[in-house]
Each structure stands twice: as C-alpha cells, then as structure tokens.
Amino acid sequence: MGLTFKDETFREDFTFFNSPAAIRRFPFPFPEDSYMYSVNMEPHVPGRPGSVFEKTFDVDEHYVAEMRERARVLAEDPLRCQSLPHMTLAGWDLLELIMEAKAREYPDWFSLQRDGNRWHWINRPLEIEQTFTFLDETTLPCGPMEYITRQTQGDFSLQDQRNDNLWMDAGMVTTQADWSLDFDLGMNFFEWHAPVPLAHEKQIFTRALKFLMNVQHGAPARRFNWTMTIDPLLDTSPENYPKWGPSRATLTPENVGRRMHLRVELQTFFRLPRSNALAFPIRCYLIRFEELATQPKWARRLHRVIRDLPDELAAYKGFLRNKPIMVDYLAQFDDGTPTSPGWWAD
Amino acid sequence: MSGGAAKIPVRVAEVTEVNALIRRIRFVRRDGGPMPAFSGGAHTVVEMDDHGTRRLNPYSLMGDPADTTGYSISVRRDDAGRGGSLYLHRHVVPGMDMVISHPVNLFALDLRAKKHLMIAGGIGITPFLAQIAQLAALGGRFELHYATRNPALCAYGDELTARYGGRVHLYHDDAGQMITLPALLAGQPLGTHLYVCGPKGMIRWVRSTADSAGWPRAAVHHEEFLAPPPGKAFDVTLAASGKTLTVGTHQSLLEAIEAAGVDAPYLCRGGACGQCETDVLGCDGTIRHNDHWLTEAQKASGQKIMPCVSRFEGRSLVLDR
C-alpha cells in the first residue's frame, strides 16, 4: 500500500488538494455530454483496480484528514450524529459490515479478530485499538454507528424499512451537500426528498423507493450524485450556511479555477442483515476545476454539461449565480471535439 | 436486477421429522463458512430440481438469527400442492447439495414497538421462532398466541413453553380452544404491534378484528405466501423477447417465462414482494389477479400483472418482457 495519508485541512486555510494519482482515480460522474436526473443504479461490485470502486469502502489519501475534520464538526455540533433508539441494532450491523470489509480489503491498515462476541479491532492509520463485546453498547466509547463512522470516510444514513417506505432514523452527517440530518431525522423517503425540483413529476422517487426497498442482502447497489462547492469545504451544511453561503458571492473569473470544486457523491446501498434496515453511505469526493482540467476529456465534457444544464437544477445545486463564470472558464478547454464514451479519463 | 436475491450454495446437514406433517431441514454452507446473519421474519427461497422441473419456494428461516452456523426451515407436507413440499419431504436427505437465496424479509419486526403481540396458526409459527429468539436476545417484550389442531401437531410448542413460559399461549382446535382475540386486543398497551402468520382465514380474521377495534394499519403485520394456483393452460406473447409460449395447467406464468429462457425479475414468488410486476401491453380476455401486491385499481386497469401467481383466460395476452 504505497499510499501516504495527507495532512491537510478542509476549512480556514484549505490546504486540501488531490495528488496526480488521486486526480486520475477521481469518480467523474458524467458518462455523456449532458445531464438529467436518473436513478442510474448499478450493482456495487468490485470495479477496476485502483478505482474508487475497487473496495467496498474506499480509503484514500484524504482519510486521516477527513476523520480529523469529522471530529471537529462533531465537537462543535453533536447533533450531526443521531440514532433513534430502535436503530441501535442497525448501527451494529453497519459496524460489522465496515469492520469486516476493511479488515479483508485493507489488511495492512485494519484488523478484526472475532472470538464469539468478543471482538478486537485495530485501525492503524488512526492509531485505534479496541476490544469490545458485539451487541453490548457499554463496551464501546459511544454507540456502534458513531464509533465506526468516526473511522470511515463519507456520510451515513441508516434507514428503517416499514409501512412500504424508508425512514431516516439514524445517521452521521458532516460532509453533506447542504442537507441536515437534524432536520430530516424521522422523515420518510418522500418527505426528505420533497425539496428536489423536477424529479417528483418524473416519478423518479417512486421508482427509486421501489428499487431501494428491494435491495437485498448480499447484493449492494451504487449510484452517483454531484454538485458544486466553493473551496474544499466538506461541511456544507444548512446549520453552517451563514459561514459558507456568502462565499458564493466571491467567485471571480480569476479565482474560479482554484476555488470551484466539482463535488461528487458515490452513494451506495446495503441491506443490513440483523435489522433489515438500509445503510446508505454517501461518500464525498472533491476536485478543483484546475485539477479536473488536467484531464482534457473531463474538462470538455464538464463544459458542455454545465452550459446546457436547466436553470432549475443549477439553482437547486446552488451555483446558478456563478454558472456564467464557470462556463466561461471551462470553455477554454472545449475545442468542440467529441468525447469518448463512458466517464473514465482518456 | 433480475434473478432474485444472491445465492448461497449449501449442503443439507440434518433432516428431522418434527411431527406427522412437518419436517425440519438444516442447511450449512458447502464451503464451511458462516451464513449471513438475518432478521427475524426473513425467508429464503429454496431451489429444487424436481426430476427436471425447477421449483423455487420461499420458506421462513426459523433458527436464531444470531446463529450463523446454519439455517433451518420447517416444511409442512402439502399432499395437494404443486410438489415443492412433497419434494422436500420425499427426496431431500442429509449430504445433498442445494442452492438457497440470501435472506429476504417481508415480515420484519417493527423495532419501535413497545410490545410485540404474535398470532400464529399451524406452520405459520416458523417466522415467529426466529423473531422470538431475536427479541429475547435484545430484551424485547413479546407474547405469542399459537393455535394448532391438536398437541401432536403443535410443532415447537413444548420448546417454546419451556423457554419462555407465560409469554407463550397454546390453543388446540380439537379441544375447542380458541384465541379470544377481541379481549386480547383490548388489553394491549399503547404502542403494541400485532403480527399474524397462518392460514388465509386466520389472517383475514385477525386483520379485520384489529381493524374494527381501531388498530392503526401500520401496527398490524401479516405474512402470507401464496402458492401459484393451477388453472387452464393459456398462451402469452413476450413482446420484448419476441416469443410466444404456453403456460401449463400446473405451471406459473413466471415459471413458463423462465423455462423459455427469458430473464425475469422475482423475489418471493408468492405474490407479496412486487418485484416481478410486469406491464401488460395487450389483453383480450381476463387476467386472474391472485397477488397481494397490486391495488384494486391497478388490477381493474388490466395494465399490470404479477406473473409469479397470476394467470389469464381469454384470446391473447401480450407482456412487456
């Protein structure tokens, strides 16, 4: 594992950047030159070696810094992690899923030894060692969902399945694209998606819910979502909007390449065995426009996608006011030549 | 996402005659590894090669969900059925290799419940065995009312009574014992969830009694797998695949589609999960809707069919498959 965990920040001086290797493996979310909502699900099976799909839970060069950032967010606002009482079992399911996967797929960094319900967990990058009793909360420093998601990149929502619907009854949400767990907690699938424009009319959520309720154990699924973020800020939360929202008014043609980031969510879906709940990890990847422009295919395509995006979607994703600056910047990379199929870099 | 849940290659580890009608089969993984943990109420779909006929039947997992060394099912012999239970009774022996699906739960506990009130009839006891084991481990509050014809057919009654004592209530039809449901429902604490699994008539009785007593629909849970009913043979055209085929008297539409080599989605194969829902492109005749999935309005519209249990009578049926 020739990977060095970077010491970097996602606030104040914003020292985050992607190494050339991280740029090459970035999950660029556009398989074609235009974008409209779709359910775009596929089985979450191991993908191309080196890609973010290779492992069940991708661990990359930003791991240690992202976990440090999560701890800071939680210290300032503990309500970013909540679990209703009936979701504790789902938390144990998630802990088992992640520990098993990481120990199996990254044996140099993680180790899990099980002796009946006595478990011994080692997380070398974060220098954590813990012996605990599975299903006994008193043997961990915090609840099982919080424990494992403090050690795993990406946000997590645990959804209870009942009454022909999914209910957002637990989660760890510190790297979100402007939504709030504290606000959504206890809502059902249609309620928490209510603000999304255009998609309801297209029956997208009805179809998506049906699909998700049928995600089976042993057959996880995945999809992409995306938005734009100014500066490499992981915590673009409604709670902190007064701190980061005004940055939207500071974008200029001179700084757009450095400050504007494509924000991609790799969303995965796992049926949890003991609780029958659905785990929904939302992994955030950031790439600044300048970094993205090192891949000519992606820069050409992103120009066309943003240029042709309906204004309702640009407004919902929060960049309508900056769309002209972004399109002008990206236009310099678009010579009009065709792009190759699929989203992998050329 | 067709082809049901992911598969597990298993070996039959143990076959036990529980009583005159019920036999228990225990499966372990062929590779010796652990089974996935599961949630109480889950079922597995057992694949059978019945002398050339492919059968896939759902059976509730009845073991302790925390026990990952193997899965157990209990199968009631149905002499008048299509043959799945007879195959499991007559041909399955220890050491045999079989394939079962990952667990799927269409009858999950609502873990918010302050109390779980369970009504079982006959073989309908099986999902409750797993749910009770899970609730006992979690410290959940439950109460079981279990009706069978007589003590000899009261599978697992003694074990349940020995382990859980006063939380288990047994009723025997031959002794004239009846669950006094209205009084039982009237005495439950607020936040109780009601679960029923058993014969069709019992499910209807429990649901309607709870309904008229004002129980919220969301607090009443039931599970009923249907066996595909036989009927007259009929022809169907699969538009997307460009095939026309005949569905036999004892064959389901889904089985006929699969036998023709067309990949079709399914999960429970008992009219409950909704996964095999298929668009009807043309229908000159009557669809015999036998499922629990489509709404009455959808059934009346004639634009959807659940091929796992539903049939057709008439001149022509065209499906988008």
mmCIF file of all heavy atoms in Angstrom, chain B residues 60 76 107 118-128 144-148 179 195-207 221-227 292:
data_model
loop_
_atom_site.group_PDB
_atom_site.id
_atom_site.type_symbol
_atom_site.label_atom_id
_atom_site.label_comp_id
_atom_site.label_asym_id
_atom_site.label_seq_id
_atom_site.Cartn_x
_atom_site.Cartn_y
_atom_site.Cartn_z
ATOM 1 N N SER B 60 -39.779 -19.606 5.603
ATOM 2 C CA SER B 60 -39.282 -18.747 6.672
ATOM 3 C C SER B 60 -38.090 -19.393 7.359
ATOM 4 O O SER B 60 -38.090 -20.608 7.594
ATOM 5 C CB SER B 60 -40.381 -18.513 7.709
ATOM 6 O OG SER B 60 -41.445 -17.819 7.126
ATOM 7 N N ARG B 76 -44.153 -27.955 5.858
ATOM 8 C CA ARG B 76 -45.378 -28.731 6.059
ATOM 9 C C ARG B 76 -45.709 -29.448 4.754
ATOM 10 O O ARG B 76 -45.734 -28.824 3.690
ATOM 11 C CB ARG B 76 -46.519 -27.789 6.435
ATOM 12 C CG ARG B 76 -47.817 -28.494 6.761
ATOM 13 C CD ARG B 76 -48.942 -27.463 6.931
ATOM 14 N NE ARG B 76 -50.139 -28.059 7.464
ATOM 15 C CZ ARG B 76 -51.008 -28.756 6.752
ATOM 16 N NH1 ARG B 76 -50.813 -28.959 5.455
ATOM 17 N NH2 ARG B 76 -52.087 -29.261 7.323
ATOM 18 N N PHE B 107 -41.485 -9.572 6.395
ATOM 19 C CA PHE B 107 -42.311 -9.706 7.597
ATOM 20 C C PHE B 107 -41.448 -9.300 8.791
ATOM 21 O O PHE B 107 -41.264 -10.056 9.740
ATOM 22 C CB PHE B 107 -42.780 -11.161 7.721
ATOM 23 C CG PHE B 107 -43.813 -11.423 8.793
ATOM 24 C CD1 PHE B 107 -44.957 -10.657 8.894
ATOM 25 C CD2 PHE B 107 -43.646 -12.484 9.686
ATOM 26 C CE1 PHE B 107 -45.910 -10.921 9.873
ATOM 27 C CE2 PHE B 107 -44.593 -12.755 10.663
ATOM 28 C CZ PHE B 107 -45.735 -11.965 10.759
ATOM 29 N N MET B 118 -47.969 -11.668 18.933
ATOM 30 C CA MET B 118 -47.851 -12.562 17.774
ATOM 31 C C MET B 118 -48.969 -13.594 17.773
ATOM 32 O O MET B 118 -49.209 -14.249 18.784
ATOM 33 C CB MET B 118 -46.504 -13.287 17.844
ATOM 34 C CG MET B 118 -45.328 -12.325 17.851
ATOM 35 S SD MET B 118 -43.827 -13.141 18.403
ATOM 36 C CE MET B 118 -42.619 -11.885 17.966
ATOM 37 N N ILE B 119 -49.595 -13.750 16.609
ATOM 38 C CA ILE B 119 -50.655 -14.739 16.449
ATOM 39 C C ILE B 119 -50.203 -15.714 15.367
ATOM 40 O O ILE B 119 -49.992 -15.315 14.218
ATOM 41 C CB ILE B 119 -51.982 -14.081 16.002
ATOM 42 C CG1 ILE B 119 -52.300 -12.841 16.850
ATOM 43 C CG2 ILE B 119 -53.105 -15.108 15.987
ATOM 44 C CD1 ILE B 119 -52.826 -13.127 18.215
ATOM 45 N N ALA B 120 -50.061 -16.981 15.732
ATOM 46 C CA ALA B 120 -49.592 -17.981 14.780
ATOM 47 C C ALA B 120 -50.628 -19.074 14.618
ATOM 48 O O ALA B 120 -51.267 -19.482 15.586
ATOM 49 C CB ALA B 120 -48.267 -18.594 15.252
ATOM 50 N N GLY B 121 -50.757 -19.574 13.391
ATOM 51 C CA GLY B 121 -51.625 -20.714 13.129
ATOM 52 C C GLY B 121 -50.831 -21.778 12.395
ATOM 53 O O GLY B 121 -50.273 -21.513 11.333
ATOM 54 N N GLY B 122 -50.727 -22.973 12.962
ATOM 55 C CA GLY B 122 -50.071 -24.092 12.282
ATOM 56 C C GLY B 122 -48.632 -23.778 11.913
ATOM 57 O O GLY B 122 -47.853 -23.272 12.728
ATOM 58 N N ILE B 123 -48.300 -24.054 10.646
ATOM 59 C CA ILE B 123 -46.922 -23.872 10.176
ATOM 60 C C ILE B 123 -46.521 -22.398 10.192
ATOM 61 O O ILE B 123 -45.337 -22.058 10.097
ATOM 62 C CB ILE B 123 -46.746 -24.502 8.766
ATOM 63 C CG1 ILE B 123 -45.274 -24.610 8.363
ATOM 64 C CG2 ILE B 123 -47.537 -23.709 7.729
ATOM 65 C CD1 ILE B 123 -44.463 -25.548 9.229
ATOM 66 N N GLY B 124 -47.504 -21.518 10.351
ATOM 67 C CA GLY B 124 -47.228 -20.076 10.476
ATOM 68 C C GLY B 124 -46.390 -19.730 11.698
ATOM 69 O O GLY B 124 -46.013 -18.579 11.893
ATOM 70 N N ILE B 125 -46.061 -20.721 12.506
ATOM 71 C CA ILE B 125 -45.210 -20.481 13.675
ATOM 72 C C ILE B 125 -43.770 -20.136 13.265
ATOM 73 O O ILE B 125 -43.051 -19.469 14.018
ATOM 74 C CB ILE B 125 -45.217 -21.728 14.609
ATOM 75 C CG1 ILE B 125 -44.508 -21.424 15.944
ATOM 76 C CG2 ILE B 125 -44.570 -22.920 13.958
ATOM 77 C CD1 ILE B 125 -45.142 -20.377 16.787
ATOM 78 N N THR B 126 -43.341 -20.580 12.073
ATOM 79 C CA THR B 126 -41.898 -20.549 11.786
ATOM 80 C C THR B 126 -41.260 -19.152 11.844
ATOM 81 O O THR B 126 -40.206 -19.017 12.474
ATOM 82 C CB THR B 126 -41.569 -21.248 10.451
ATOM 83 O OG1 THR B 126 -42.414 -20.724 9.438
ATOM 84 C CG2 THR B 126 -41.780 -22.744 10.579
ATOM 85 N N PRO B 127 -41.830 -18.118 11.223
ATOM 86 C CA PRO B 127 -41.128 -16.830 11.321
ATOM 87 C C PRO B 127 -41.060 -16.316 12.759
ATOM 88 O O PRO B 127 -40.111 -15.630 13.131
ATOM 89 C CB PRO B 127 -41.963 -15.892 10.437
ATOM 90 C CG PRO B 127 -43.295 -16.541 10.329
ATOM 91 C CD PRO B 127 -43.043 -18.011 10.399
ATOM 92 N N PHE B 128 -42.074 -16.696 13.576
ATOM 93 C CA PHE B 128 -42.087 -16.221 14.960
ATOM 94 C C PHE B 128 -40.969 -16.851 15.789
ATOM 95 O O PHE B 128 -40.483 -16.241 16.734
ATOM 96 C CB PHE B 128 -43.452 -16.491 15.606
ATOM 97 C CG PHE B 128 -44.561 -15.690 14.988
ATOM 98 C CD1 PHE B 128 -45.693 -16.314 14.474
ATOM 99 C CD2 PHE B 128 -44.476 -14.307 14.909
ATOM 100 C CE1 PHE B 128 -46.714 -15.583 13.900
ATOM 101 C CE2 PHE B 128 -45.498 -13.559 14.333
ATOM 102 C CZ PHE B 128 -46.624 -14.203 13.828
ATOM 103 N N LEU B 144 -46.827 -14.617 22.566
ATOM 104 C CA LEU B 144 -47.201 -15.457 21.431
ATOM 105 C C LEU B 144 -48.490 -16.212 21.720
ATOM 106 O O LEU B 144 -48.632 -16.827 22.782
ATOM 107 C CB LEU B 144 -46.080 -16.463 21.135
ATOM 108 C CG LEU B 144 -46.408 -17.566 20.114
ATOM 109 C CD1 LEU B 144 -46.497 -16.976 18.699
ATOM 110 C CD2 LEU B 144 -45.357 -18.685 20.155
ATOM 111 N N HIS B 145 -49.411 -16.187 20.762
ATOM 112 C CA HIS B 145 -50.632 -16.996 20.823
ATOM 113 C C HIS B 145 -50.622 -17.897 19.590
ATOM 114 O O HIS B 145 -50.656 -17.425 18.464
ATOM 115 C CB HIS B 145 -51.875 -16.097 20.866
ATOM 116 C CG HIS B 145 -51.919 -15.285 22.122
ATOM 117 N ND1 HIS B 145 -52.684 -15.619 23.203
ATOM 118 C CD2 HIS B 145 -51.244 -14.159 22.459
ATOM 119 C CE1 HIS B 145 -52.497 -14.729 24.179
ATOM 120 N NE2 HIS B 145 -51.634 -13.832 23.753
ATOM 121 N N TYR B 146 -50.561 -19.216 19.839
ATOM 122 C CA TYR B 146 -50.240 -20.169 18.789
ATOM 123 C C TYR B 146 -51.315 -21.253 18.764
ATOM 124 O O TYR B 146 -51.486 -21.995 19.735
ATOM 125 C CB TYR B 146 -48.853 -20.741 19.107
ATOM 126 C CG TYR B 146 -48.353 -21.862 18.236
ATOM 127 C CD1 TYR B 146 -48.814 -22.079 16.934
ATOM 128 C CD2 TYR B 146 -47.355 -22.718 18.713
ATOM 129 C CE1 TYR B 146 -48.316 -23.105 16.160
ATOM 130 C CE2 TYR B 146 -46.854 -23.751 17.945
ATOM 131 C CZ TYR B 146 -47.344 -23.939 16.669
ATOM 132 O OH TYR B 146 -46.841 -24.959 15.904
ATOM 133 N N ALA B 147 -52.046 -21.325 17.656
ATOM 134 C CA ALA B 147 -53.150 -22.273 17.531
ATOM 135 C C ALA B 147 -52.800 -23.391 16.556
ATOM 136 O O ALA B 147 -52.293 -23.126 15.460
ATOM 137 C CB ALA B 147 -54.408 -21.548 17.051
ATOM 138 N N THR B 148 -53.066 -24.640 16.987
ATOM 139 C CA THR B 148 -52.899 -25.790 16.089
ATOM 140 C C THR B 148 -54.081 -26.731 16.303
ATOM 141 O O THR B 148 -54.900 -26.535 17.203
ATOM 142 C CB THR B 148 -51.594 -26.556 16.381
ATOM 143 O OG1 THR B 148 -51.585 -26.919 17.765
ATOM 144 C CG2 THR B 148 -50.379 -25.700 16.075
ATOM 145 N N ILE B 179 -58.508 -18.612 20.417
ATOM 146 C CA ILE B 179 -57.919 -17.345 20.840
ATOM 147 C C ILE B 179 -59.065 -16.335 20.987
ATOM 148 O O ILE B 179 -59.830 -16.130 20.048
ATOM 149 C CB ILE B 179 -56.913 -16.834 19.792
ATOM 150 C CG1 ILE B 179 -55.809 -17.869 19.574
ATOM 151 C CG2 ILE B 179 -56.317 -15.495 20.213
ATOM 152 C CD1 ILE B 179 -54.848 -17.539 18.447
ATOM 153 N N TYR B 195 -48.751 -9.083 14.957
ATOM 154 C CA TYR B 195 -48.211 -9.845 13.831
ATOM 155 C C TYR B 195 -49.027 -11.120 13.692
ATOM 156 O O TYR B 195 -49.313 -11.780 14.684
ATOM 157 C CB TYR B 195 -46.752 -10.233 14.083
ATOM 158 C CG TYR B 195 -45.841 -9.067 14.399
ATOM 159 C CD1 TYR B 195 -45.784 -8.530 15.682
ATOM 160 C CD2 TYR B 195 -45.040 -8.496 13.409
ATOM 161 C CE1 TYR B 195 -44.953 -7.457 15.964
ATOM 162 C CE2 TYR B 195 -44.203 -7.426 13.689
ATOM 163 C CZ TYR B 195 -44.169 -6.909 14.968
ATOM 164 O OH TYR B 195 -43.348 -5.848 15.250
ATOM 165 N N VAL B 196 -49.363 -11.476 12.445
ATOM 166 C CA VAL B 196 -50.101 -12.727 12.247
ATOM 167 C C VAL B 196 -49.520 -13.486 11.063
ATOM 168 O O VAL B 196 -49.199 -12.908 10.019
ATOM 169 C CB VAL B 196 -51.621 -12.483 12.069
ATOM 170 C CG1 VAL B 196 -51.909 -11.527 10.921
ATOM 171 C CG2 VAL B 196 -52.364 -13.810 11.867
ATOM 172 N N CYS B 197 -49.365 -14.791 11.254
ATOM 173 C CA CYS B 197 -48.930 -15.661 10.161
ATOM 174 C C CYS B 197 -49.634 -16.991 10.346
ATOM 175 O O CYS B 197 -49.588 -17.582 11.431
ATOM 176 C CB CYS B 197 -47.417 -15.845 10.178
ATOM 177 S SG CYS B 197 -46.808 -16.811 8.785
ATOM 178 N N GLY B 198 -50.314 -17.446 9.313
ATOM 179 C CA GLY B 198 -51.066 -18.687 9.415
ATOM 180 C C GLY B 198 -51.946 -18.843 8.192
ATOM 181 O O GLY B 198 -51.697 -18.239 7.152
ATOM 182 N N PRO B 199 -52.990 -19.672 8.310
ATOM 183 C CA PRO B 199 -53.883 -19.876 7.171
ATOM 184 C C PRO B 199 -54.584 -18.567 6.776
ATOM 185 O O PRO B 199 -54.757 -17.670 7.600
ATOM 186 C CB PRO B 199 -54.905 -20.889 7.691
ATOM 187 C CG PRO B 199 -54.325 -21.453 8.943
ATOM 188 C CD PRO B 199 -53.375 -20.456 9.481
ATOM 189 N N LYS B 200 -54.999 -18.534 5.514
ATOM 190 C CA LYS B 200 -55.649 -17.346 4.956
ATOM 191 C C LYS B 200 -56.787 -16.844 5.838
ATOM 192 O O LYS B 200 -56.903 -15.648 6.109
ATOM 193 C CB LYS B 200 -56.175 -17.719 3.565
ATOM 194 C CG LYS B 200 -56.618 -16.573 2.703
ATOM 195 C CD LYS B 200 -57.372 -17.084 1.472
ATOM 196 C CE LYS B 200 -56.481 -17.405 0.291
ATOM 197 N NZ LYS B 200 -55.875 -16.241 -0.358
ATOM 198 N N GLY B 201 -57.640 -17.770 6.299
ATOM 199 C CA GLY B 201 -58.800 -17.379 7.096
ATOM 200 C C GLY B 201 -58.386 -16.717 8.406
ATOM 201 O O GLY B 201 -59.019 -15.762 8.869
ATOM 202 N N MET B 202 -57.333 -17.219 9.014
ATOM 203 C CA MET B 202 -56.865 -16.641 10.266
ATOM 204 C C MET B 202 -56.327 -15.228 10.049
ATOM 205 O O MET B 202 -56.595 -14.319 10.840
ATOM 206 C CB MET B 202 -55.773 -17.534 10.873
ATOM 207 C CG MET B 202 -55.157 -16.935 12.118
ATOM 208 S SD MET B 202 -53.761 -17.907 12.699
ATOM 209 C CE MET B 202 -54.303 -18.324 14.331
ATOM 210 N N ILE B 203 -55.580 -15.062 8.973
ATOM 211 C CA ILE B 203 -55.023 -13.737 8.687
ATOM 212 C C ILE B 203 -56.157 -12.731 8.487
ATOM 213 O O ILE B 203 -56.136 -11.627 9.038
ATOM 214 C CB ILE B 203 -54.095 -13.798 7.446
ATOM 215 C CG1 ILE B 203 -52.859 -14.626 7.778
ATOM 216 C CG2 ILE B 203 -53.706 -12.397 6.996
ATOM 217 C CD1 ILE B 203 -51.950 -14.886 6.597
ATOM 218 N N ARG B 204 -57.181 -13.159 7.720
ATOM 219 C CA ARG B 204 -58.303 -12.252 7.461
ATOM 220 C C ARG B 204 -59.009 -11.915 8.782
ATOM 221 O O ARG B 204 -59.339 -10.756 9.058
ATOM 222 C CB ARG B 204 -59.269 -12.912 6.470
ATOM 223 C CG ARG B 204 -60.126 -11.907 5.724
ATOM 224 C CD ARG B 204 -61.124 -12.565 4.775
ATOM 225 N NE ARG B 204 -60.494 -13.452 3.796
ATOM 226 C CZ ARG B 204 -60.812 -14.735 3.636
ATOM 227 N NH1 ARG B 204 -61.745 -15.285 4.404
ATOM 228 N NH2 ARG B 204 -60.215 -15.479 2.732
ATOM 229 N N TRP B 205 -59.211 -12.920 9.620
ATOM 230 C CA TRP B 205 -59.901 -12.732 10.911
ATOM 231 C C TRP B 205 -59.116 -11.762 11.806
ATOM 232 O O TRP B 205 -59.679 -10.818 12.373
ATOM 233 C CB TRP B 205 -60.036 -14.112 11.581
ATOM 234 C CG TRP B 205 -60.489 -14.126 12.989
ATOM 235 C CD1 TRP B 205 -61.669 -13.649 13.477
ATOM 236 C CD2 TRP B 205 -59.780 -14.687 14.108
ATOM 237 N NE1 TRP B 205 -61.742 -13.869 14.833
ATOM 238 C CE2 TRP B 205 -60.600 -14.500 15.242
ATOM 239 C CE3 TRP B 205 -58.556 -15.338 14.248
ATOM 240 C CZ2 TRP B 205 -60.205 -14.931 16.514
ATOM 241 C CZ3 TRP B 205 -58.170 -15.775 15.502
ATOM 242 C CH2 TRP B 205 -58.996 -15.562 16.634
ATOM 243 N N VAL B 206 -57.821 -11.979 11.926
ATOM 244 C CA VAL B 206 -57.022 -11.124 12.810
ATOM 245 C C VAL B 206 -56.990 -9.688 12.281
ATOM 246 O O VAL B 206 -57.179 -8.732 13.038
ATOM 247 C CB VAL B 206 -55.589 -11.690 12.968
ATOM 248 C CG1 VAL B 206 -54.698 -10.695 13.705
ATOM 249 C CG2 VAL B 206 -55.637 -13.025 13.704
ATOM 250 N N ARG B 207 -56.795 -9.549 10.979
ATOM 251 C CA ARG B 207 -56.701 -8.193 10.432
ATOM 252 C C ARG B 207 -58.029 -7.451 10.559
ATOM 253 O O ARG B 207 -58.055 -6.272 10.899
ATOM 254 C CB ARG B 207 -56.252 -8.239 8.967
ATOM 255 C CG ARG B 207 -54.819 -8.733 8.810
ATOM 256 C CD ARG B 207 -54.415 -8.762 7.355
ATOM 257 N NE ARG B 207 -54.179 -7.424 6.841
ATOM 258 C CZ ARG B 207 -54.226 -7.106 5.550
ATOM 259 N NH1 ARG B 207 -54.517 -8.031 4.657
ATOM 260 N NH2 ARG B 207 -53.992 -5.879 5.166
ATOM 261 N N HIS B 221 -49.216 -6.444 11.161
ATOM 262 C CA HIS B 221 -48.330 -7.021 10.151
ATOM 263 C C HIS B 221 -48.749 -8.456 9.861
ATOM 264 O O HIS B 221 -49.115 -9.186 10.770
ATOM 265 C CB HIS B 221 -46.888 -7.021 10.646
ATOM 266 C CG HIS B 221 -46.451 -5.710 11.233
ATOM 267 N ND1 HIS B 221 -45.821 -4.733 10.491
ATOM 268 C CD2 HIS B 221 -46.587 -5.194 12.488
ATOM 269 C CE1 HIS B 221 -45.567 -3.684 11.266
ATOM 270 N NE2 HIS B 221 -46.031 -3.934 12.485
ATOM 271 N N HIS B 222 -48.683 -8.828 8.602
ATOM 272 C CA HIS B 222 -49.010 -10.220 8.290
ATOM 273 C C HIS B 222 -48.108 -10.721 7.180
ATOM 274 O O HIS B 222 -47.520 -9.944 6.430
ATOM 275 C CB HIS B 222 -50.474 -10.353 7.865
ATOM 276 C CG HIS B 222 -50.761 -9.768 6.517
ATOM 277 N ND1 HIS B 222 -50.862 -8.418 6.298
ATOM 278 C CD2 HIS B 222 -50.953 -10.360 5.317
ATOM 279 C CE1 HIS B 222 -51.115 -8.195 5.023
ATOM 280 N NE2 HIS B 222 -51.169 -9.349 4.404
ATOM 281 N N GLU B 223 -47.992 -12.022 7.123
ATOM 282 C CA GLU B 223 -47.255 -12.607 6.013
ATOM 283 C C GLU B 223 -48.020 -13.809 5.509
ATOM 284 O O GLU B 223 -48.433 -14.676 6.268
ATOM 285 C CB GLU B 223 -45.858 -13.051 6.424
ATOM 286 C CG GLU B 223 -45.135 -13.754 5.271
ATOM 287 C CD GLU B 223 -43.629 -13.707 5.393
ATOM 288 O OE1 GLU B 223 -43.108 -14.361 6.293
ATOM 289 O OE2 GLU B 223 -42.987 -13.019 4.574
ATOM 290 N N GLU B 224 -48.200 -13.814 4.217
ATOM 291 C CA GLU B 224 -48.888 -14.945 3.604
ATOM 292 C C GLU B 224 -48.278 -15.176 2.239
ATOM 293 O O GLU B 224 -48.364 -14.325 1.358
ATOM 294 C CB GLU B 224 -50.386 -14.624 3.452
ATOM 295 C CG GLU B 224 -51.161 -15.759 2.837
ATOM 296 C CD GLU B 224 -52.605 -15.363 2.518
ATOM 297 O OE1 GLU B 224 -52.948 -14.176 2.649
ATOM 298 O OE2 GLU B 224 -53.360 -16.251 2.116
ATOM 299 N N PHE B 225 -47.603 -16.292 2.083
ATOM 300 C CA PHE B 225 -47.106 -16.641 0.759
ATOM 301 C C PHE B 225 -48.167 -17.466 0.058
ATOM 302 O O PHE B 225 -48.732 -18.381 0.631
ATOM 303 C CB PHE B 225 -45.827 -17.467 0.842
ATOM 304 C CG PHE B 225 -44.656 -16.684 1.315
ATOM 305 C CD1 PHE B 225 -43.872 -17.157 2.342
ATOM 306 C CD2 PHE B 225 -44.342 -15.466 0.732
ATOM 307 C CE1 PHE B 225 -42.775 -16.435 2.776
ATOM 308 C CE2 PHE B 225 -43.256 -14.733 1.161
ATOM 309 C CZ PHE B 225 -42.475 -15.226 2.190
ATOM 310 N N LEU B 226 -48.398 -17.111 -1.188
ATOM 311 C CA LEU B 226 -49.362 -17.874 -1.970
ATOM 312 C C LEU B 226 -48.600 -18.881 -2.814
ATOM 313 O O LEU B 226 -47.546 -18.575 -3.337
ATOM 314 C CB LEU B 226 -50.111 -16.922 -2.892
ATOM 315 C CG LEU B 226 -50.837 -15.780 -2.198
ATOM 316 C CD1 LEU B 226 -51.264 -14.747 -3.216
ATOM 317 C CD2 LEU B 226 -52.039 -16.316 -1.450
ATOM 318 N N ALA B 227 -49.150 -20.023 -2.957
ATOM 319 C CA ALA B 227 -48.619 -20.939 -3.964
ATOM 320 C C ALA B 227 -49.311 -20.568 -5.268
ATOM 321 O O ALA B 227 -50.500 -20.227 -5.250
ATOM 322 C CB ALA B 227 -48.929 -22.380 -3.575
ATOM 323 N N HIS B 292 -51.036 -10.189 -3.736
ATOM 324 C CA HIS B 292 -51.323 -9.220 -2.674
ATOM 325 C C HIS B 292 -50.679 -7.870 -2.963
ATOM 326 O O HIS B 292 -50.614 -7.013 -2.086
ATOM 327 C CB HIS B 292 -50.728 -9.695 -1.336
ATOM 328 C CG HIS B 292 -51.350 -10.919 -0.786
ATOM 329 N ND1 HIS B 292 -52.712 -11.092 -0.723
ATOM 330 C CD2 HIS B 292 -50.806 -12.046 -0.270
ATOM 331 C CE1 HIS B 292 -52.973 -12.269 -0.181
ATOM 332 N NE2 HIS B 292 -51.830 -12.869 0.090
#
